[in-house]
Amino acid sequence: MRSGQTVTEINESRRLAIDGGKPVRTEPLPLEFPGIHYLDDEEIAAALRVLKSKSLFRFYGVDLQEEVANFESEFARWLGINHAVAVTSGTGALSVALSALGVGPGQEVIIPAYMWVAVASAVVNRGAIPVLAEIDNTFTLDPVSFEKQITPRTAGVILVHMSGAPGDVKAVQRIARQHGIFLLEDCAQCNGGTVDGQKVGTFGDIGAFSFQMNKNMTSGEGGCVVMNDLCLYQRTVACHDLGYGRDDQGRLSLNDSNCFLWGEGYRLDELRASLLRAQLRKLPRIIGAMHSSKYRIRKALEAFPSVQLRRIIDPRGDTGCFLITTYKDRETAGRVNRALRAEGIVTHPQGVSNVLMTEWGLHLYHNIPSLVNKTSVDGRGFPWKLAENAGPERSYAKGACPVSDSLFERSIILAIPSCLSERDEDDIIEAFEKVLHGLSLA
Ligand SMILES: Cc1ncc(COP(=O)(O)O)c(C=O)c1O
């Protein structure tokens, strides 16, 4: 409120846009796509270098640049892990990781209620059964619910570090070890996140990353599988390729009978690896920008007890790409979201920057029709009806995870682009303050 304003002017400036008042802003917020905003001459030069070499395949070429091999060692070094295998997508990374771990029919894999459809499909495609566990107010796997879901059939757990911030990986790791089951970390949405200074993807037996366009660094599509164990690495190399190992020259090697497997064809190409090498160098800056914007906004919201902020396991290790706020009930969350959107807290039409979590599509278990309906690609019930998977009937319909359902219904997710200006941040803060006062939630 500016000094010198009349009471009428003050009342008018407080009138919510949803009630016909003037919106805080009319220009859409920038689209999310963290890595894209940092794409510049460095990526262009890298792509040109590869194109000029006329060597687009990772294992041989007329003038091989070894972009994929170099990216793998640079990414592994950056994470602080022994091995990395680049693949063509995060979905492929999850699939190859489960193959390398030997997952198949007769086994269960525990997954959180909040994830991405690819997490469930990776398990189903291996012939195993996904078992849902609740999330807690970190919006990642609840360790207590996870432990309750362990049965003699449980092969492992997928901890998904959702919406930019790490899950309670140390608790999940401890429980997984106690029960002798694997821990696969899905870091697609949290590349560069840390807990107590250690990067996500390095706590579990194996980690999966995505470099699709919405991710913290990107080559449009792409992914990576990382691990410390040599045997798991060799199996991952074989599974992501043709089912066999490769020698130092990139030639197929049929000498190791431990690696007579089946390949899935997820090899990454030189062009995308060259982009990823440039993006990796920029990742700390990208994360730094999102983190700084998010925590400025979060700080302002701390003044409002009616707004519950997502519990962050280690704020220094949050990559910052999303802000989640939770309210006392679904009506309140709906009113706040509609009012914020009317104040101009939206992106361009194709973006989904500021939505109720129930509208967050295939991230919610009960929004995934193939899971809810237990669809099978063979039309004969694979994997649900396999004899090895006979057991208790499992429901994936809404209501299967009531704690998560309640969090979804009461929460709003706001993307924090990596290129927010101070003015954009001011507008987001002003819109929240105006809406919370206007709806008597201050
Ligand atoms: C948590 C999570 N896992 C896996 C994936 C799959 O990655 P991709 O789109 O690269 O296949 C995504 C992508 O959106 C994701 O968000």
Side-chain angles (χ1 to χ4, degrees):
M1 234 55 69
R2 276 177 283 115
S3 59
Q5 280 182 305
T6 65
V7 173
T8 318
E9 281 168 343
I10 289 171
N11 284 341
E12 187 49 32
S13 71
R14 283 179 179 161
R15 190 144 70 100
L16 296 181
I18 204 161
D19 296 327
K22 185 167 172 283
V24 169
R25 62 184 282 142
T26 48
E27 192 194 330
L29 286 165
L31 291 165
E32 49 175 297
F33 310 142
I36 289 291
H37 296 298
Y38 284 68
L39 229 154
D40 59 22
D41 288 348
E42 213 175 320
E43 283 83 351
I44 294 170
L48 275 178
R49 183 178 66 238
V50 173
L51 286 172
K52 284 180 180 163
S53 77
K54 299 189 176 180
S55 300
L56 306 182
F57 180 59
R58 70 164 294 175
F59 289 123
Y60 48 79
V62 290
D63 178 19
L64 186 58
Q65 304 293 297
E66 304 206 333
E67 299 288 344
V68 182
N70 282 320
F71 170 68
E72 288 173 341
S73 37
E74 286 160 10
F75 193 56
R77 197 174 325 121
W78 188 76
L79 285 175
I81 203 161
N82 290 347
H83 309 289
V85 181
V87 291
T88 47
S89 69
T91 304
L94 287 169
S95 187
V96 167
L98 291 182
S99 295
L101 288 161
V103 171
Q107 294 187 318
E108 296 171 347
V109 177
I110 297 171
I111 64 171
Y114 181 44
M115 32 106 198
W116 177 239
V117 59
V119 176
S121 67
V123 178
V124 169
N125 282 330
R126 297 267 68 76
I129 298 295
V131 174
L132 292 171
E134 298 274 16
I135 57 163
D136 58 20
N137 59 359
T138 64
F139 285 83
T140 61
L141 190 70
D142 172 7
V144 177
S145 173
F146 151 50
E147 189 163 23
K148 283 192 190 143
Q149 298 302 328
I150 297 174
T151 73
R153 290 185 178 194
T154 308
V157 59
I158 305 181
L159 170 59
V160 192
H161 301 289
M162 285 300 282
S163 308
D168 195 351
V169 66
K170 290 191 171 177
V172 172
Q173 181 193 46
R174 195 168 48 245
I175 296 164
R177 281 197 185 142
Q178 271 164 11
H179 291 266
I181 61 175
F182 70 74
L183 166 58
L184 160 52
E185 288 178 77
D186 180 342
C187 313
Q189 298 197 10
C190 193
N191 187 4
T194 57
V195 174
D196 297 335
Q198 184 177 339
K199 299 236 169 50
V200 297
T202 65
F203 290 88
D205 298 281
I206 200 159
F209 289 81
S210 163
F211 307 126
Q212 179 269 342
M213 195 171 75
N214 293 72
K215 306 307 186 295
N216 290 351
M217 65 180 231
T218 186
S219 49
E221 297 273 16
C224 201
V225 191
V226 302
M227 71 296 289
N228 278 315
D229 183 78
L230 179 62
C231 176
L232 207 47
Y233 168 66
Q234 288 164 338
R235 285 177 60 92
T236 304
V237 168
C239 291
H240 101 293
D241 188 8
L242 293 168
Y244 303 96
R246 297 262 178 181
D247 67 17
D248 292 346
Q249 307 300 313
R251 283 183 299 252
L252 272 177
S253 147
L254 302 183
N255 298 328
D256 181 2
S257 60
N258 289 325
C259 279
F260 289 179
L261 298 167
W262 294 104
E264 298 175 33
Y266 289 119
R267 286 182 309 256
L268 191 67
D269 58 275
E270 290 285 282
L271 203 46
R272 278 183 284 178
S274 75
L275 304 181
L276 289 173
R277 294 180 70 194
Q279 287 266 297
L280 181 58
R281 288 192 284 275
K282 298 172 180 179
L283 187 55
R285 270 198 288 142
I286 297 170
I287 292 172
M290 297 187 296
H291 188 279
S292 142
S293 296
K294 172 172 172 175
Y295 280 82
R296 193 171 160 231
I297 299 164
R298 254 181 85 106
K299 184 103 201 79
L301 291 178
E302 281 171 9
F304 298 92
S306 59
V307 180
Q308 292 153 40
L309 295 167
R310 172 187 188 184
R311 182 162 68 87
I312 304 291
I313 296 287
D314 177 357
R316 282 166 311 161
D318 179 357
T319 70
C321 48
F322 287 98
L323 175 83
I324 298 177
T325 52
T326 305
Y327 302 84
K328 69 176 185 328
D329 53 37
R330 63 183 299 173
E331 290 71 31
T332 308
R335 283 163 64 219
V336 172
N337 187 243
R338 281 191 298 278
L340 280 174
R341 293 181 64 86
E343 295 299 337
I345 306 306
V346 284
T347 50
H348 295 274
Q350 73 268 41
V352 278
S353 69
N354 176 18
V355 292
L356 281 171
M357 287 197 77
T358 42
E359 289 160 24
W360 202 221
L362 303 181
H363 293 100
L364 277 54
Y365 73 97
H366 62 68
N367 281 350
I368 304 174
S370 330
L371 185 63
V372 172
N373 300 319
K374 299 185 193 164
T375 306
S376 64
V377 281
D378 67 355
R380 294 185 297 281
F382 176 91
W384 321 97
K385 296 215 165 96
L386 291 179
E388 298 94 315
N389 288 333
E393 191 65 15
R394 295 199 179 271
S395 168
Y396 303 97
K398 191 171 177 190
C401 294
V403 176
S404 309
D405 294 349
S406 166
L407 282 166
F408 297 147
E409 281 174 2
R410 295 183 293 116
S411 302
I412 296 173
I413 182 157
L414 173 73
I416 306 290
S418 58
C419 60
L420 279 189
S421 65
E422 211 176 311
R423 173 76 207 282
D424 296 328
E425 294 166 13
D426 288 342
D427 286 348
I428 294 172
I429 293 169
E430 188 183 332
F432 263 110
E433 289 174 346
K434 185 179 170 195
V435 163
L436 293 169
H437 279 110
L439 297 178
S440 307
L441 293 167

